[in-house]
Amino acid sequence: MKPARGMTPGDADRLVAALVTGRGPSPDEQVTVWFAELAVGEREITVDQTNRSVVVGDRAIVKWLLHTDAAGHPAPDRLQALLSAGFTAMPRPWGLLHQVDPTSGALKLLAIVTEYLPGTQDGWEWAVADVRAHVRGAESGALTAPIAIGVLTAQMHVALSCTGITDATEAQAQTWYAAAGHDLAEAIALVDGDEGARLRPLESRIKESLHPISECVGTPLIDVHGDLHVGQILRTNAPYAYYVTDFDGNPLQTAVERMQRQPAARDVAGMLASLDHVGRVVIHRTPDVDEAKVVSWIAMAQEIFLDNYREELQRANAEHLLDERLLGPFQVQQECREFVYSVKHLPHWRYVPDAALPALLDRLEAPA
């Protein structure tokens, strides 16, 4: 049997060379080139479980897509839109490799090539370390990183909105509301043990918090990142610079769903939830930590992120992109998804939504 594309040693080297020439490595393949330079020498990154990622010459990363869909992939259009708008807070895209169907001429995405940023860490490393240092009284980026991420997220949304803005229809609102209800029902059905015993009494409160999703007819829709959380934010060594990565969308959705426009609030809510999750990880993994200080940081970080996101939208005259009504409901839905994900893929993770969801509901229900 012929090995899957990208599994043979030298495939990544050959793809980078093909970008330089502008010709596909094989007759039935074609490349899209945004940037290219010669680089050789492969080194696999083993932490990526969804795809196979290979560093080439410490200059580029080739991400081979192990699970493709005939319906398409969101990354090519997202990357092109960001490049066209002059957005630079991402690893520089080098190019794409598509396979061409000999009969229909249809393209299937095989690989994405981007700049390799040596020495960077993703947010599950740098943010956790920052918060640990912060609550111990040491200097860190715990309260400055949310500023940069808020600005970056707003600039990304403004850039993505350049491809067009549409309004949510009644059918779309009801589809999203039904999906949120399904996520809740699945979480209730799957989560067992002490966490399940704490989750089930929250069901009616969760349902009530999700209801605004059904009323979002007319909210602006744009192309979004689709899976935005701190793990998608790379940070360089000091002086810190931040870059957003991975425009594949939510891996648990179908290709059609991932390519659809969404409210900008979907990404914003995802980042708000993940800032909370950073705090929960610190509490869980740090002996003798002052839990109250971490909880206080969560609230401050979320406020700083959101304030700077709003301010950057205002600077771009794009305040209309954010529907504030959806932030709470989408965060609640995200916590339900975290429960489901933990049961299916990462059992030890369930402590995160177990702590985050009740606190979120209390905040949403508190008097204004």
Side-chain angles (χ1 to χ4, degrees):
M1 179 182 292
K2 182 179 179 180
R5 200 67 176 89
M7 299 303 291
T8 302
D11 277 353
D13 278 349
R14 284 186 284 273
L15 175 51
V16 170
L19 294 181
V20 174
T21 65
R23 297 189 299 272
S26 300
D28 64 339
E29 296 172 341
Q30 73 177 40
V31 292
T32 299
V33 183
W34 292 307
F35 173 82
E37 66 179 28
L38 287 175
V40 294
E42 298 184 350
R43 173 168 57 85
E44 185 170 1
I45 299 177
T46 57
V47 296
D48 189 348
Q49 298 177 346
T50 307
N51 306 290
R52 181 173 187 261
S53 293
V54 180
V55 176
V56 178
D58 281 342
R59 292 289 298 120
I61 292 183
V62 176
K63 180 164 69 176
W64 296 101
L65 305 180
L66 302 182
H67 307 283
T68 58
D69 192 308
H73 194 284
D77 288 344
R78 302 292 193 270
L79 293 173
Q80 182 61 68
L82 293 168
L83 281 169
S84 297
F87 180 79
T88 59
M90 61 179 174
R92 184 178 188 175
W94 281 29
L96 309 167
L97 176 68
H98 284 96
Q99 186 174 55
V100 184
D101 186 283
T103 303
S104 67
L107 301 178
K108 181 174 75 171
L109 184 64
L110 298 178
I112 302 168
V113 186
T114 58
E115 174 188 14
Y116 174 63
L117 299 174
T120 56
Q121 292 182 318
D122 72 50
W124 294 120
E125 295 180 276
W126 61 256
V128 169
D130 277 1
V131 176
R132 281 196 181 116
H134 172 75
V135 299
R136 290 168 173 163
E139 184 177 349
S140 77
L143 296 179
T144 55
I147 298 173
I149 299 172
V151 171
L152 178 158
T153 303
Q155 292 175 343
M156 177 184 71
H157 283 160
V158 171
L160 289 171
S161 73
C162 292
T163 63
I165 304 173
T166 55
D167 295 333
T169 65
E170 175 70 26
Q172 287 174 310
Q174 294 308 316
T175 296
W176 296 331
Y177 182 50
H182 176 268
D183 291 335
L184 168 60
E186 191 172 16
I188 293 291
L190 291 178
V191 180
D192 57 7
D194 292 342
E195 294 87 358
R198 287 188 288 269
L199 175 61
R200 285 186 287 276
L202 301 177
E203 184 174 7
S204 62
R205 296 172 65 191
I206 296 172
K207 286 182 177 178
E208 181 67 23
S209 73
L210 296 174
H211 191 262
I213 299 175
S214 68
E215 300 174 338
C216 71
V217 178
T219 195
L221 307 180
I222 61 172
D223 291 339
V224 297
H225 182 282
D227 189 30
L228 192 64
H229 53 77
V230 294
Q232 310 287 26
I233 305 296
L234 304 178
R235 187 172 78 178
T236 64
N237 295 324
Y240 299 139
Y242 297 84
Y243 300 90
V244 61
T245 188
D246 190 359
F247 290 88
D248 297 347
N250 186 337
L252 302 181
Q253 291 182 317
T254 66
V256 171
E257 290 171 329
R258 288 184 285 131
M259 291 189 293
Q260 290 174 345
R261 287 177 177 163
Q262 290 274 329
R266 181 71 75 183
D267 282 346
V268 177
M271 185 57 69
L272 289 168
S274 73
L275 290 170
D276 185 301
H277 298 167
V278 168
R280 307 301 167 184
V281 170
V282 171
I283 291 170
H284 186 76
R285 297 183 182 176
T286 311
D288 302 321
V289 72
D290 188 328
E291 182 172 343
K293 287 185 177 179
V294 179
V295 171
S296 176
W297 172 85
I298 291 173
M300 286 189 293
Q302 289 178 325
E303 182 178 4
I304 292 168
F305 163 76
L306 194 52
D307 284 349
N308 282 272
Y309 176 84
R310 293 183 182 121
E311 290 172 6
E312 189 64 25
L313 286 187
Q314 290 172 355
R315 279 191 282 270
N317 295 314
E319 305 97 309
H320 57 284
L321 294 183
L322 179 64
D323 189 338
E324 301 266 356
R325 300 172 300 169
L326 295 175
L327 293 178
F330 281 167
Q331 282 181 259
V332 172
Q333 183 183 9
Q334 183 61 40
E335 299 305 340
C336 293
R337 289 176 171 178
E338 298 290 336
F339 268 123
V340 173
Y341 180 81
S342 71
V343 172
K344 293 184 175 180
H345 304 287
L346 200 63
H348 73 269
W349 183 252
R350 63 172 64 190
Y351 75 85
V352 171
D354 183 45
L357 181 54
L360 174 59
L361 292 172
D362 288 346
R363 180 173 61 79
L364 294 176
E365 294 166 359

